[in-house]
Amino acid sequence: METLKGLKRTHYCGDLRMDNVGQEVILNGWVQKKRNLGGLVFVDLRDIRGISQIIFDADVNKDAFEKAEKLGSEYVIAVKGIVRERQSKNPNMATGDIEISATELRVLSKSQTPPIYIKDDDNVSEDKRLKYRFLDLRKPSMQNNLIMRSKVAQIVRQYLSENNFLEIETPFLIKPSPEGARDYLVPSRVNPGKFYALPQSPQLFKQILMVSGMDRYFQIVKCFRDEDLRADRQPEFTQIDCEMSFVDENDVMTMMENMIGRIFKEIHNIDIQLPLKRMTYKEAMDRFGSDKPDTRFAMELTDLSDLVKDCGFGVFSSAANAANSSVRAINAIGGADAFSKKGMKKLEEHAKTYKAKGLAWIKVTEEGIDSPIAKFFTEDEIKAILDRMDAKAGDLILFVADKNKVVYDALGQLRLEVARKMDLIDKNKYNLLWVTEFPLFEEDEETGRMIAMHHPFTCPLDEDIDKLDQEDKTQLRAKAYDMVLNGYELGGGSVRISDEEVQEKMFKALGMSQETANDKFGYLLEAFKYGVPPHAGLAFGFDRLMMLLTGADNIREVIAFPKNQNAICPMTNAPGLPEEGQLEELSIKVDLEEQE
Amino acid sequence: METLKGLKRTHYCGDLRMDNVGQEVILNGWVQKKRNLGGLVFVDLRDIRGISQIIFDADVNKDAFEKAEKLGSEYVIAVKGIVRERQSKNPNMATGDIEISATELRVLSKSQTPPIYIKDDDNVSEDKRLKYRFLDLRKPSMQNNLIMRSKVAQIVRQYLSENNFLEIETPFLIKPSPEGARDYLVPSRVNPGKFYALPQSPQLFKQILMVSGMDRYFQIVKCFRDEDLRADRQPEFTQIDCEMSFVDENDVMTMMENMIGRIFKEIHNIDIQLPLKRMTYKEAMDRFGSDKPDTRFAMELTDLSDLVKDCGFGVFSSAANAANSSVRAINAIGGADAFSKKGMKKLEEHAKTYKAKGLAWIKVTEEGIDSPIAKFFTEDEIKAILDRMDAKAGDLILFVADKNKVVYDALGQLRLEVARKMDLIDKNKYNLLWVTEFPLFEEDEETGRMIAMHHPFTCPLDEDIDKLDQEDKTQLRAKAYDMVLNGYELGGGSVRISDEEVQEKMFKALGMSQETANDKFGYLLEAFKYGVPPHAGLAFGFDRLMMLLTGADNIREVIAFPKNQNAICPMTNAPGLPEEGQLEELSIKVDLEEQE
């Protein structure tokens, strides 16, 4: 084992500039590339800040030169040398104006040939990248992602601290909760047969902190959900979690948009226009078919129900006349020629993924219209539709007729798909907005029961509080808000119920008995007996925020050691088998038969 | 539910001063105290910053006055009023120069009579405090502890960020590890029969991050150990975890002592003298009988073995002549009269807790010596002992003769106990030092096997690397260092092995087969094949640091929601029972019989 003695770095490789010319420097790093050229050895030496070119010349130091000849990729070395101006500068390299003439070399650690290349376009499978994550993280893109993540975390903490938020740690070993997603469980050894759960969010604890007078709380904190993994989900994920006392929704939204504004300014030097636009949930659904609208392009939804309610096309007229149903359309301007027959088929399949029964369309051409459904309409009806859709020759109108939920969903997704296919999205734009006044409840698709759209502590709009016990609760709105960026939900929050009676009504509305509520959230209800401040909060998904800030394709690119889609870490092979006797200590047994 | 409309706070209660006189302010907070006096209602209103006195006068606003008369303790209210100078100022209150003449009052939330008082000296049991933690956290001491904790966390992050450390999150769902303490396990649903473990520390991941070129890493992170709980242990605890590349132990110690220096400066305005003193493990044991010496007082250990090896007292002479054994003593200066017969008995019991077989002592009086063992010694022997102990009339000498391990332990603990009893410890002193050159191995008391004193990745001293395969490994020293404050280990770390071969030797020395090592740490060994920088790090116990900075008695006072000694949260009743069907999904069963 070689020590660094006498060869500790004086500079980072990536930091050397013309100002350093003439200085003796010591660099420590990895051999990115080595080549022999004209009797010299050229080494590109890499550290966290970048790369410098080192030149070994037998005439300068024979010993160093000979050692350099034997260097391989990814060897770790320490080099002493003199910085000098390069004869042929490399404008593509931050250090391209200089080079280091080496006077001393020590090999600190050798390397076998790495199984993956240390460069961004290595084109290996993700599982291989995750298996060799220790090498994958040497790539500039991954280093930059983690550097930016660290910076953003500091900006967030700095901002929130300046604004009197206290960072308070909430527990990781908590009581299992029936709300929300599936808990990860942790068997208790000291309390046999009992289990802790890992928190899905610190929701209840942050509310308790407000009750305890902590005034403003934040935490950048891991949360856990044992859900089936999709492209953008991880078993553990990180939230920027905030809560404020003595505020309303406007205070929270203002505080949080200023924070996001500061992040964009400091990270990308972009001035986000504040205050952010706000849009009610209803408007977002009506215009974009989504509660997280991508507003970088238009192609908004248009309701045609009134125009088609008496038309000859049964699919349209029945949807137009049914309750909670409608016929709506989007106009893909100039899209008539953008989709072949096969392309149209794919769009229909896309719509069907979102439960549309089919996809009706009209292509507008110079000669008139081209549409499989044209025959069901009068000329006047067609004209009225085209007028309302503002359709011109070359445009493509896409219709969905169904229950509103399906119409919004399918048409909202079609809108995104068409925009992607037609390349309508400006990738350099960051469109941020608030979506507000979310429904308080939604129907559980399986059971038909009312469930809380956000969580059972979300406060109804003032004018809806009295409606908590009415039959139809679907129209009730919450003091809930999501921040949306380019079609992604960055974060969401709400004003919380701060009144024991309203909270009890809420549990009742959710079909939860007083007993169950007490069993699960008794301590919150108990706390609410002793003076509760009005409070509200918000949580951002930190992984997703970083994905959007870095421009990465998925959140695994901004997480140092993510799990794959089987919840496995290919590097460490977690999960694994427990030690012998460990399960007995925990009073549990593996029981694989139950699975079959 | 009352809203804040029109009555959002303009100031914090604790912030008002003479400068605010004449201003109209709005305060939001909790009623700390209400009293009627001379036809007025006086309310002490409390928020996170402190307390202001509000005066309700029926002549100013009858409605507000009448509402104020009905206020109870811990009601949450919003008050508008005019700040004015107090006639009889209260110098004990930060806001004692002013009062607020209320013009408007709104009750935001009522309170039942709290089950515990909201004041520091409430004298209720800790379990009751933890059950009502939402009220307990309203106490000034608890709020100040959490405020200071938040501040220290920000100072740490600021300092480390300035010094190019990246904050990188390591996973919480990791592979079970056989090293160290007992893991908390988390059954995997997706991988039936397999388990994640919660990390005992991010040790392996931070080393992997160094291998991946991240250069400098830190994290303030929860760690988990399923150990039996003592006064200062929690199932989950927080570490300030750091690692650096291309450094040696001196770089880490300098970096870290400067950080601690900054914390003391910013929190207590104390200038810690840097660099900190350093003491080898051997010196610490010889002088203080402890690897975490409390150096706020002297009373050092003195080796008397050479003086007593031929004496008539068998206990002494045999210990003085046996291998790895000795006779040592401390001099409790002026302690001859400090301990009654009963007090001496207690000291002996204390020594026995640490495995001493008994406690020999000499009291030095003006008339000579008083000692049960005097008869075994010649006058010359007694004189030599007293001389070496620098003993004068009034002093008390305490002896332990045994194996060195027992002598150090028992005498080191006696030293602390005597100092406490004799009140020798200056509570306002912060004595910081480094203890270095820890043994690389220690003997497992149960199995007699060599185990790593820190962990198996700790680098031996350069001169001891070649001794890794020799028979007696107890003398090998590690490049390991602990920072000690007033007798507590604040944190510890080491230079890591950065060489695959040395690491393999280390595993072998620990009796771990290559196969086992590969199974458990294969990914680290694999990573070590591709270029490893020299690296070293350290982790501080954040809870303990905060306990010492706040002057709290135990770490539960600096944790918002700690568990009690049965690993239960009395507020939420965690752990609890899982939902129906949840264990089946996880392919596990509770099996309580195994326990019996």
Side-chain angles (χ1 to χ4, degrees):
Chain A
M1 239 171 92
E2 292 284 356
T3 72
L4 275 167
K5 197 161 279 181
L7 284 178
K8 265 184 220 170
R9 77 173 160 220
T10 57
H11 294 74
Y12 283 98
C13 295
D15 286 357
L16 295 175
R17 296 289 183 278
M18 285 297 290
D19 284 352
N20 302 102
V21 167
Q23 291 178 3
E24 183 179 74
V25 298
I26 301 172
L27 302 178
N28 298 162
W30 284 260
V31 173
Q32 173 78 22
K33 206 161 69 181
K34 185 205 76 176
R35 56 206 185 288
N36 296 49
L37 204 72
L40 302 172
V41 176
F42 290 78
V43 167
D44 280 356
L45 192 64
R46 186 191 69 236
D47 66 18
I48 184 83
R49 295 280 184 86
I51 288 176
S52 263
Q53 178 171 285
I54 323 276
I55 298 186
F56 294 90
D57 182 340
D59 290 344
V60 173
N61 184 317
K62 191 150 182 293
D63 173 62
F65 174 82
E66 281 168 2
K67 278 195 232 160
E69 281 194 304
K70 290 181 208 138
L71 291 176
S73 280
E74 301 306 312
Y75 276 41
V76 179
I77 61 174
V79 180
K80 191 187 273 187
I82 310 290
V83 183
R84 64 186 188 204
E85 191 170 353
R86 270 206 220 185
Q87 298 206 322
S88 55
K89 300 190 177 181
N90 181 348
N92 300 320
M93 239 175 126
T95 62
D97 288 350
I98 59 93
E99 62 192 11
I100 294 98
S101 169
T103 55
E104 201 174 335
L105 167 63
R106 187 179 302 155
V107 175
L108 299 169
S109 172
K110 294 184 179 183
S111 173
Q112 298 184 7
T113 306
I116 61 174
Y117 287 111
I118 312 302
K119 57 179 191 180
D120 282 328
D121 46 350
D122 65 343
N123 220 1
V124 299
S125 74
E126 193 182 19
D127 243 40
K128 195 163 182 187
R129 288 183 53 202
L130 293 182
K131 179 172 164 59
Y132 295 104
R133 194 60 155 184
F134 44 85
L135 296 174
D136 192 55
L137 290 178
R138 290 184 186 171
K139 295 177 188 167
S141 65
M142 292 307 294
Q143 300 210 332
N144 289 334
N145 288 354
L146 295 188
I147 290 169
M148 195 194 288
R149 186 173 176 126
S150 179
K151 268 192 200 149
V152 173
Q154 306 324 315
I155 295 169
V156 165
R157 292 207 180 82
Q158 176 90 33
Y159 174 87
L160 293 172
S161 298
E162 282 169 17
N163 283 286
N164 299 321
F165 285 76
L166 297 173
E167 186 178 21
I168 301 176
E169 296 169 56
T170 52
F172 277 73
L173 296 171
I174 68 169
K175 195 178 177 183
S177 147
E179 286 303 307
R182 197 187 282 112
D183 279 333
Y184 275 103
L185 293 183
V186 184
S188 167
R189 180 179 54 86
V190 186
N191 304 279
K194 293 205 172 170
F195 292 79
Y196 302 101
L198 299 177
Q200 295 181 27
S201 88
Q203 183 63 34
L204 288 161
F205 287 100
K206 67 177 178 174
Q207 292 195 239
I208 289 282
L209 287 171
M210 296 303 99
V211 175
S212 72
M214 288 300 168
D215 206 66
R216 293 183 178 183
Y217 144 95
F218 84 98
Q219 207 180 177
I220 300 184
V221 66
K222 279 282 176 78
C223 300
F224 303 84
R225 284 182 201 168
D226 186 9
E227 291 298 305
D228 296 315
L229 307 175
R230 294 186 317 218
D232 59 347
R233 275 201 190 159
Q234 284 281 314
E236 50 182 300
F237 54 97
T238 307
Q239 281 191 352
I240 303 171
D241 195 43
C242 304
E243 195 80 8
M244 305 169 75
S245 293
F246 302 114
V247 294
D248 61 25
E249 55 271 46
N250 293 309
D251 301 306
V252 176
M253 285 191 267
T254 302
M255 182 66 71
M256 293 300 147
E257 66 190 22
N258 284 331
M259 180 175 89
I260 296 295
R262 189 190 285 189
I263 292 171
F264 273 91
K265 183 68 187 171
E266 294 196 19
I267 295 295
H268 287 316
N269 198 25
I270 289 176
D271 291 294
I272 298 290
Q273 210 189 319
L274 299 176
L276 295 184
K277 286 195 183 141
R278 295 188 190 183
M279 194 182 284
T280 64
Y281 172 88
K282 188 173 179 320
E283 183 183 347
M285 297 308 282
D286 280 344
R287 290 177 55 193
F288 301 98
S290 168
D291 60 359
K292 38 181 191 283
D294 189 338
T295 57
R296 286 176 296 178
F297 59 98
M299 212 195 301
E300 297 188 13
L301 277 60
T302 303
D303 192 346
L304 304 173
S305 305
D306 58 315
L307 298 183
V308 299
K309 65 183 190 324
D310 303 315
C311 77
F313 187 36
V315 176
F316 278 22
S317 59
S318 60
N321 287 297
N324 299 321
S325 302
S326 55
V327 180
R328 292 171 204 248
I330 52 175
N331 180 0
I333 293 173
D337 296 330
F339 297 91
S340 62
K341 207 165 173 182
K342 199 170 151 198
M344 289 305 297
K345 195 78 206 157
K346 276 198 180 157
L347 284 185
E348 182 167 18
E349 277 159 24
H350 198 73
K352 283 181 173 171
T353 329
Y354 298 93
K355 299 198 181 157
K357 292 182 204 79
L359 177 63
W361 52 267
I362 296 178
K363 284 183 178 174
V364 188
T365 66
E366 295 291 350
E367 293 77 38
I369 63 163
D370 167 16
S371 168
I373 60 166
K375 56 190 170 195
F376 299 112
F377 297 89
T378 66
E379 236 172 78
D380 282 353
E381 283 167 345
I382 294 285
K383 185 173 181 314
I385 290 171
L386 295 187
D387 276 358
R388 184 169 295 172
M389 296 307 298
D390 205 14
K392 300 194 173 44
D395 291 355
L396 168 68
I397 321 283
L398 301 170
F399 303 81
V400 176
D402 214 311
K403 294 207 162 161
N404 283 333
K405 195 174 162 4
V406 174
V407 172
Y408 287 139
D409 221 21
L411 217 45
Q413 292 292 344
L414 271 174
R415 177 180 170 268
L416 295 176
E417 183 65 11
V418 168
R420 277 189 289 260
K421 295 282 190 221
M422 291 180 65
D423 206 11
L424 302 180
I425 303 172
D426 180 352
K427 298 234 159 121
N428 296 315
K429 248 187 184 171
Y430 290 98
N431 272 29
L432 283 149
L433 75 156
W434 290 106
V435 176
T436 63
E437 296 187 13
F438 274 80
L440 190 59
F441 299 100
E442 60 185 348
E443 214 176 276
D444 185 282
E445 285 185 25
E446 280 175 39
T447 64
R449 272 187 3 186
M450 282 290 114
I451 55 173
M453 191 158 192
H454 279 70
H455 52 62
F457 317 106
T458 308
C459 191
L461 286 198
D462 294 338
E463 56 264 44
D464 287 357
I465 286 190
D466 291 335
K467 301 179 190 159
L468 266 175
D469 34 24
Q470 78 185 20
E471 189 72 24
D472 178 12
K473 297 184 177 64
T474 54
Q475 301 308 308
L476 270 63
R477 290 154 301 165
K479 291 184 182 173
Y481 34 81
D482 279 2
M483 191 188 286
V484 174
L485 169 57
N486 293 352
Y488 287 92
E489 180 201 329
L490 265 194
S494 63
V495 175
R496 324 304 182 183
I497 297 170
S498 57
D499 183 291
E500 198 191 352
E501 275 177 46
V502 176
Q503 187 64 68
E504 281 175 5
K505 271 192 193 171
M506 184 72 181
F507 285 139
K508 205 176 148 200
L510 290 165
M512 208 183 280
S513 71
Q514 192 59 40
E515 207 185 343
T516 310
N518 271 331
D519 180 42
K520 301 302 179 188
F521 309 113
Y523 57 100
L524 191 72
L525 296 178
E526 179 74 14
F528 275 15
K529 295 188 170 126
Y530 304 104
V532 191
H535 59 290
L538 181 139
F540 287 104
F542 189 40
D543 305 303
R544 189 176 285 164
L545 172 63
M546 289 316 304
M547 177 184 91
L548 293 167
L549 284 172
T550 58
D553 288 336
N554 67 66
I555 58 171
R556 294 182 300 281
E557 299 293 303
V558 295
I559 297 173
F561 303 103
K563 305 284 189 293
N564 69 14
Q565 303 208 358
N566 297 316
I568 287 169
C569 168
M571 183 180 79
T572 61
N573 280 324
L577 297 175
E579 289 287 286
E580 218 184 291
Q582 221 173 345
L583 299 187
E584 284 77 1
E585 279 189 310
L586 296 173
S587 305
I588 61 167
K589 258 187 183 170
V590 168
D591 183 19
L592 293 178
E593 286 174 31
E594 292 278 343
Q595 284 278 314
E596 286 156 23
Chain B
M1 238 171 91
E2 293 283 355
T3 71
L4 275 167
K5 197 160 280 182
L7 285 178
K8 265 184 219 169
R9 77 173 157 217
T10 57
H11 294 74
Y12 283 98
C13 296
D15 286 357
L16 296 176
R17 297 289 183 276
M18 283 299 289
D19 284 351
N20 302 103
V21 167
Q23 291 177 1
E24 183 179 74
V25 299
I26 301 172
L27 302 179
N28 298 162
W30 283 260
V31 172
Q32 173 79 19
K33 205 160 68 178
K34 186 205 73 175
R35 56 205 187 285
N36 296 50
L37 206 70
L40 302 172
V41 176
F42 290 78
V43 167
D44 280 358
L45 192 64
R46 185 191 71 234
D47 66 19
I48 185 83
R49 295 279 184 86
I51 289 176
S52 264
Q53 177 171 285
I54 324 276
I55 297 187
F56 294 91
D57 182 340
D59 291 344
V60 173
N61 184 320
K62 192 154 181 292
D63 173 62
F65 174 80
E66 282 168 1
K67 277 196 235 159
E69 281 196 301
K70 291 181 207 137
L71 290 176
S73 281
E74 300 306 313
Y75 275 41
V76 179
I77 61 173
V79 179
K80 191 188 272 185
I82 310 289
V83 182
R84 66 187 187 201
E85 191 170 356
R86 271 205 220 184
Q87 298 206 323
S88 55
K89 299 189 176 182
N90 180 348
N92 299 321
M93 237 174 127
T95 62
D97 289 349
I98 59 93
E99 63 193 9
I100 293 98
S101 169
T103 55
E104 202 176 335
L105 167 63
R106 187 178 303 156
V107 175
L108 299 170
S109 173
K110 295 183 178 182
S111 172
Q112 296 183 9
T113 306
I116 60 175
Y117 288 110
I118 313 301
K119 58 178 191 181
D120 282 329
D121 46 350
D122 64 344
N123 220 1
V124 299
S125 75
E126 192 182 22
D127 244 38
K128 195 164 182 186
R129 287 182 54 200
L130 292 182
K131 179 172 164 57
Y132 295 105
R133 195 60 155 183
F134 45 86
L135 297 174
D136 192 55
L137 290 178
R138 289 184 187 170
K139 295 177 187 168
S141 65
M142 291 306 294
Q143 300 210 331
N144 288 337
N145 287 355
L146 295 188
I147 290 169
M148 196 194 287
R149 185 174 176 125
S150 179
K151 268 191 202 152
V152 173
Q154 307 323 314
I155 295 168
V156 165
R157 291 207 181 82
Q158 176 91 33
Y159 174 86
L160 293 172
S161 297
E162 281 168 20
N163 283 288
N164 299 321
F165 286 76
L166 297 174
E167 186 179 21
I168 301 177
E169 296 169 55
T170 52
F172 277 72
L173 297 171
I174 68 168
K175 195 178 178 184
S177 148
E179 286 303 306
R182 196 187 283 112
D183 279 333
Y184 276 103
L185 292 184
V186 183
S188 167
R189 180 179 54 85
V190 187
N191 304 279
K194 294 205 170 169
F195 293 79
Y196 302 100
L198 299 178
Q200 295 181 28
S201 88
Q203 182 63 36
L204 288 162
F205 287 100
K206 69 177 178 174
Q207 291 194 240
I208 288 283
L209 286 172
M210 296 304 100
V211 174
S212 72
M214 288 299 168
D215 206 66
R216 293 182 178 185
Y217 144 95
F218 84 97
Q219 209 179 178
I220 301 184
V221 66
K222 278 281 175 77
C223 300
F224 304 84
R225 283 181 203 172
D226 186 8
E227 291 297 304
D228 297 316
L229 307 175
R230 293 187 317 219
D232 59 346
R233 274 201 189 160
Q234 283 282 313
E236 48 182 301
F237 54 97
T238 307
Q239 280 191 354
I240 303 171
D241 195 42
C242 305
E243 195 80 9
M244 304 170 75
S245 292
F246 301 114
V247 295
D248 61 25
E249 55 271 45
N250 292 310
D251 301 305
V252 176
M253 286 191 267
T254 301
M255 182 65 72
M256 293 300 148
E257 66 191 23
N258 284 329
M259 181 175 87
I260 296 294
R262 189 190 287 189
I263 292 171
F264 273 91
K265 183 67 187 171
E266 293 196 19
I267 294 294
H268 287 317
N269 199 23
I270 290 175
D271 291 294
I272 298 290
Q273 209 191 317
L274 298 176
L276 295 184
K277 286 195 184 141
R278 296 187 190 183
M279 193 183 283
T280 63
Y281 172 88
K282 188 173 179 320
E283 182 182 350
M285 297 307 284
D286 280 345
R287 292 178 55 195
F288 302 98
S290 169
D291 59 0
K292 37 181 190 284
D294 189 339
T295 57
R296 286 175 295 178
F297 59 97
M299 211 196 300
E300 298 187 13
L301 278 60
T302 303
D303 192 347
L304 304 172
S305 305
D306 59 316
L307 297 184
V308 299
K309 67 181 192 319
D310 303 315
C311 77
F313 187 36
V315 176
F316 277 22
S317 59
S318 61
N321 287 298
N324 298 320
S325 301
S326 55
V327 180
R328 292 170 205 251
I330 51 175
N331 180 0
I333 294 173
D337 295 330
F339 297 91
S340 62
K341 206 164 173 183
K342 200 172 148 198
M344 289 306 296
K345 193 79 204 154
K346 277 200 181 156
L347 285 185
E348 182 167 19
E349 278 159 25
H350 197 75
K352 283 182 174 171
T353 329
Y354 297 94
K355 300 198 178 153
K357 292 182 204 77
L359 177 62
W361 52 267
I362 296 178
K363 285 183 180 177
V364 188
T365 67
E366 296 291 352
E367 293 78 39
I369 63 163
D370 166 15
S371 168
I373 59 166
K375 56 188 169 197
F376 300 112
F377 295 89
T378 65
E379 237 171 80
D380 282 352
E381 284 168 344
I382 293 284
K383 188 175 179 314
I385 290 172
L386 295 187
D387 276 356
R388 183 169 297 172
M389 295 307 296
D390 204 15
K392 303 199 169 41
D395 292 354
L396 168 68
I397 321 280
L398 301 169
F399 303 81
V400 176
D402 213 311
K403 294 210 161 154
N404 283 332
K405 194 174 163 6
V406 174
V407 172
Y408 286 139
D409 219 21
L411 217 45
Q413 292 291 343
L414 271 174
R415 177 179 171 270
L416 295 175
E417 183 66 9
V418 168
R420 278 189 289 261
K421 295 281 191 224
M422 291 179 67
D423 205 11
L424 302 179
I425 303 173
D426 180 351
K427 297 234 160 121
N428 296 315
K429 246 187 185 172
Y430 290 99
N431 272 30
L432 283 149
L433 74 154
W434 289 106
V435 176
T436 63
E437 296 186 13
F438 275 79
L440 190 59
F441 299 100
E442 59 184 349
E443 214 176 274
D444 185 281
E445 288 186 20
E446 279 175 38
T447 63
R449 271 188 5 189
M450 281 291 116
I451 55 174
M453 191 157 192
H454 278 71
H455 52 62
F457 317 107
T458 307
C459 190
L461 286 197
D462 294 338
E463 56 266 43
D464 286 358
I465 286 190
D466 291 336
K467 301 180 191 160
L468 266 175
D469 35 23
Q470 78 184 22
E471 188 74 23
D472 178 11
K473 297 183 177 65
T474 54
Q475 300 308 309
L476 271 64
R477 290 153 302 163
K479 291 183 181 172
Y481 33 82
D482 278 2
M483 192 189 284
V484 174
L485 169 57
N486 292 353
Y488 287 92
E489 179 201 330
L490 266 194
S494 63
V495 175
R496 324 303 182 183
I497 297 170
S498 56
D499 183 293
E500 197 191 352
E501 274 176 48
V502 176
Q503 186 63 67
E504 281 174 9
K505 269 192 192 171
M506 184 72 183
F507 285 138
K508 203 175 151 201
L510 290 164
M512 207 183 283
S513 72
Q514 193 60 39
E515 206 185 343
T516 309
N518 272 332
D519 180 42
K520 301 302 179 188
F521 309 113
Y523 57 101
L524 191 72
L525 295 178
E526 178 73 15
F528 274 16
K529 295 187 170 128
Y530 304 105
V532 190
H535 59 291
L538 179 139
F540 288 104
F542 190 39
D543 305 304
R544 189 176 284 163
L545 173 63
M546 288 315 306
M547 178 185 90
L548 293 167
L549 283 172
T550 58
D553 289 336
N554 66 67
I555 58 170
R556 294 183 300 282
E557 299 294 301
V558 295
I559 297 174
F561 303 103
K563 305 283 189 294
N564 69 14
Q565 303 207 358
N566 297 315
I568 287 168
C569 168
M571 183 180 79
T572 61
N573 281 322
L577 297 174
E579 288 289 286
E580 218 185 292
Q582 222 173 342
L583 299 187
E584 284 77 2
E585 280 189 310
L586 296 173
S587 305
I588 60 168
K589 258 186 183 172
V590 167
D591 183 20
L592 294 177
E593 284 174 33
E594 293 278 343
Q595 285 279 313
E596 286 157 24

